[in-house]
């Protein structure tokens, strides 16, 4: 059951809502314009609030649903975290899109929401505050990670290994943003 859920989570994570919504509405592929990221922020810049919101909700669901299924099947918390990890890995490295995916923030948020809602709410609060102060989505995303991980370590120590690896992957996915932030040229919303 665990292996099947991990595989299903990876495949669901590999579905890019940004690309599907762009195609459905006859819009340009978000990987070819803007930041090149198939995520909600780039969709907002390229196609407006409506498609950005649908992208965000789809990406959240990709993280939430597999973990909720793992919990429903009674899998231990650490296994639930690994299932969520697989969903985010699918978003980062989607098999359906030549392993060129998004940054994984919304999918990770969905995973956190299913694993431990207080951590998701804390991450959202930090994201909103950082975004309000800087108007920079990538900085807000990177600010929420270090705050959320200690809370998970304290409340859900069995989820630490998958969450630690996931944090490293998310920082790696934002490596271009980190360079732009350091240079002071990161785009604001």
């Amino acid at each position: 059951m665990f292996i099947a859920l991990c595989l299903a989570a990876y495949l669901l994570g590999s579905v890019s809502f940004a690309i599907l919504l762009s195609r459905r509405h006859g819009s340009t592929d978000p990987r070819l314009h803007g930041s090149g990221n198939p995520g909600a922020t780039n969709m907002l810049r390229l196609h407006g609030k409506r498609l950005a919101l649908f992208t965000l909700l789809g990406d959240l669901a990709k993280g939430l649903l597999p973990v909720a299924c793992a919990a429903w099947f009674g899998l231990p918390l650490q296994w639930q975290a690994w299932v969520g990890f697989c969903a985010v890995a699918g978003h980062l490295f989607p098999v359906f899109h030549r392993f060129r995916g998004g940054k994984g923030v919304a999918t990770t948020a969905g995973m956190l929401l299913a694993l431990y809602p207080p951590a998701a709410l804390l991450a959202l609060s930090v994201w909103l505050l950082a975004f309000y102060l800087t108007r920079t989505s990538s900085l807000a995303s990177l600010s929420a990670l270090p705050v959320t991980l200690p809370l998970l370590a304290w409340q859900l120590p069995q989820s630490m290994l998958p969450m630690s690896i996931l944090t490293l992957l998310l920082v790696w996915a934002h490596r271009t943003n980190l360079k732009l932030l350091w240079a002071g040229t990161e785009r604001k919303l």
Side-chain angles (χ1 to χ4, degrees):
M1 179 58 64
F2 172 66
I3 300 297
L5 279 173
C6 284
L7 180 60
Y10 173 78
L11 292 173
L12 178 60
S14 290
V15 174
S16 175
F17 286 95
I19 295 170
L20 292 176
L21 288 167
S22 293
R23 286 181 186 162
R24 172 128 170 81
H25 293 301
S27 303
T28 58
D29 187 329
R31 296 172 299 173
L32 303 176
H33 300 284
S35 67
N37 179 41
T41 302
N42 200 33
M43 289 294 283
L44 178 62
R45 287 185 183 123
L46 296 173
H47 305 302
K49 292 177 185 175
R50 186 168 168 261
L51 290 185
L53 178 62
F54 288 144
T55 299
L56 176 66
L57 293 175
D59 288 349
L60 278 167
K62 291 192 306 189
L64 188 140
L65 292 175
V67 176
C69 285
W72 187 77
F73 282 115
L75 294 182
L77 195 57
Q78 183 177 23
W79 290 14
Q80 292 175 38
W82 282 114
V83 168
F85 175 89
C86 290
V88 178
H91 183 83
L92 294 170
F93 311 106
V95 68
F96 305 128
H97 303 287
R98 298 183 180 158
F99 304 100
R100 187 174 162 215
K103 305 281 172 85
V105 175
T107 306
T108 300
M111 171 192 173
L112 283 175
L113 191 58
L115 274 179
Y116 190 60
L121 292 175
L122 177 62
L124 176 63
S125 300
V126 171
W127 191 96
L128 288 171
L129 177 63
F131 183 77
Y132 175 77
L133 295 173
T134 67
R135 290 291 187 239
T136 309
S137 179
S138 61
L139 183 58
S141 298
L142 290 167
S143 299
L145 292 172
V147 173
T148 307
L149 199 59
L151 178 65
L152 286 171
W154 179 52
Q155 288 294 326
L156 308 173
Q158 58 272 50
S159 73
M160 276 311 296
L161 182 60
M163 290 306 298
S164 296
I165 296 169
L166 184 57
T167 298
L168 293 173
L169 280 174
L170 292 177
V171 170
W172 178 82
H174 283 84
R175 65 193 179 282
T176 303
N177 301 95
L178 287 167
K179 290 176 188 173
L180 294 172
L181 285 165
W182 187 256
T185 57
E186 177 69 311
R187 292 175 58 182
K188 296 181 184 291
L189 279 178

